[in-house]
Amino acid sequence: MNPSLKFILAFIISLEISLKASLTTNILVIVFALIYLICTRIKIKELLLLIILPFIAAFTIFATLYWFSPASDPYYAWDLSTRVYVYTLTIACVTRNVTVTGFARSLEQNLHLPSKFAYGVLAAINIIPKMRMAVKQIRAAAMMRGMYLSFWSPVLYFKAILVALNSADNLAQGMESHGYVEDQKRSTIVVIPLTKKDWLIFFGLLILTNISLFLFK
């Protein structure tokens, strides 16, 4: 399915579920999300992490509403706690088999967002490994001078900001040297298709979700 449509579908479903309580719909979304992840051959370790990690938040919400609330409401407690898994698993489905580059290209081509936005997202994500290395180098240089820069040290973040500003300037110069001109039409190297099948799946899942929301509690 097209990455942009997957993102929009997950956003709409999550928004509707947050506005209307329907435990049955929550369970159905969770089941279908798990089936989709399994069909895409997700690793068992990743699937277990998606199930175990949100459990703390889900259990906290359930315990607060069921045991520690003045007016205990089991249905509402189950509804809100299962929403945690709905949000987690739908996001996992959106990111499944979708690269950051492909998603940025889809936003530019299919949703017609400005190219500077797509390239800015890619630049920000690709600079993260360089920033991690820069932080390690800053801490190592400080330790050689007898200074220990902790994780929350203002000096560490000030130096990291200077490195980021320098990297941003180098990136801008590099893009201009490769012919990038802001607000100018650019050729497409890799086309992200948006087919009728994508639209059918999009509207089909959206309609089924809304039917479930208004028919089941």
Side-chain angles (χ1 to χ4, degrees):
M1 188 176 177
N2 183 273
S4 296
L5 283 186
K6 285 175 67 176
F7 171 75
I8 295 174
L9 178 64
F11 176 77
I12 293 175
I13 290 176
S14 300
L15 181 62
E16 290 183 337
I17 285 177
S18 65
L19 295 176
K20 189 176 187 304
S22 176
L23 179 59
T24 303
T25 304
N26 293 353
I27 295 174
L28 289 175
V29 172
I30 292 172
V31 171
F32 279 109
L34 289 173
I35 293 174
Y36 174 79
L37 293 173
I38 293 173
C39 291
T40 55
R41 298 180 180 180
I42 187 174
K43 295 180 180 179
I44 299 298
K45 182 180 179 180
E46 295 178 0
L47 184 60
L48 290 176
L49 287 176
L50 289 174
I51 296 174
I52 295 173
L53 291 182
F55 178 77
I56 299 175
F59 180 77
T60 302
I61 294 173
F62 179 84
T64 302
L65 296 176
Y66 186 73
W67 287 310
F68 302 104
S69 177
S72 178
D73 188 347
Y75 177 83
Y76 197 55
W78 278 110
D79 178 69
L80 288 185
S81 59
T82 53
R83 286 183 188 181
V84 176
Y85 281 99
V86 171
Y87 301 146
T88 303
L89 294 176
T90 50
I91 292 173
C93 291
V94 171
T95 58
R96 187 66 184 160
N97 296 333
V98 176
T99 62
V100 177
T101 304
F103 183 64
R105 285 172 174 165
S106 177
L107 293 177
E108 179 187 7
Q109 297 175 25
N110 305 134
L111 297 186
H112 304 290
L113 294 181
S115 59
K116 59 183 179 182
F117 175 81
Y119 284 94
V121 171
L122 291 177
I125 293 175
N126 290 326
I127 206 174
I128 291 177
K130 295 182 180 180
M131 289 303 303
R132 289 177 178 173
M133 183 60 65
V135 169
K136 290 181 180 179
Q137 291 175 351
I138 293 170
R139 297 183 70 178
M143 291 182 69
M144 292 178 66
R145 296 194 301 270
M147 296 174 57
Y148 175 72
L149 299 180
S150 61
F151 180 76
W152 53 84
S153 174
V155 177
L156 175 63
Y157 289 103
F158 178 74
K159 293 180 179 291
I161 290 173
L162 293 179
V163 173
L165 292 175
N166 184 50
S167 300
D169 185 56
N170 293 335
L171 177 63
Q173 294 180 11
M175 293 179 67
E176 290 180 0
S177 65
H178 282 76
Y180 178 81
V181 179
E182 188 175 343
D183 298 326
Q184 294 294 324
K185 187 176 181 180
R186 297 180 58 84
S187 59
T188 302
I189 299 176
V190 179
V191 179
I192 307 297
L194 182 58
T195 63
K196 293 181 179 179
K197 181 181 178 181
D198 294 329
W199 285 110
L200 288 174
I201 296 174
F202 174 82
F203 284 111
L205 292 176
L206 191 60
I207 291 172
L208 290 175
T209 302
N210 281 272
I211 291 175
S212 178
L213 275 173
F214 288 98
L215 288 184
F216 304 110
K217 293 185 177 180

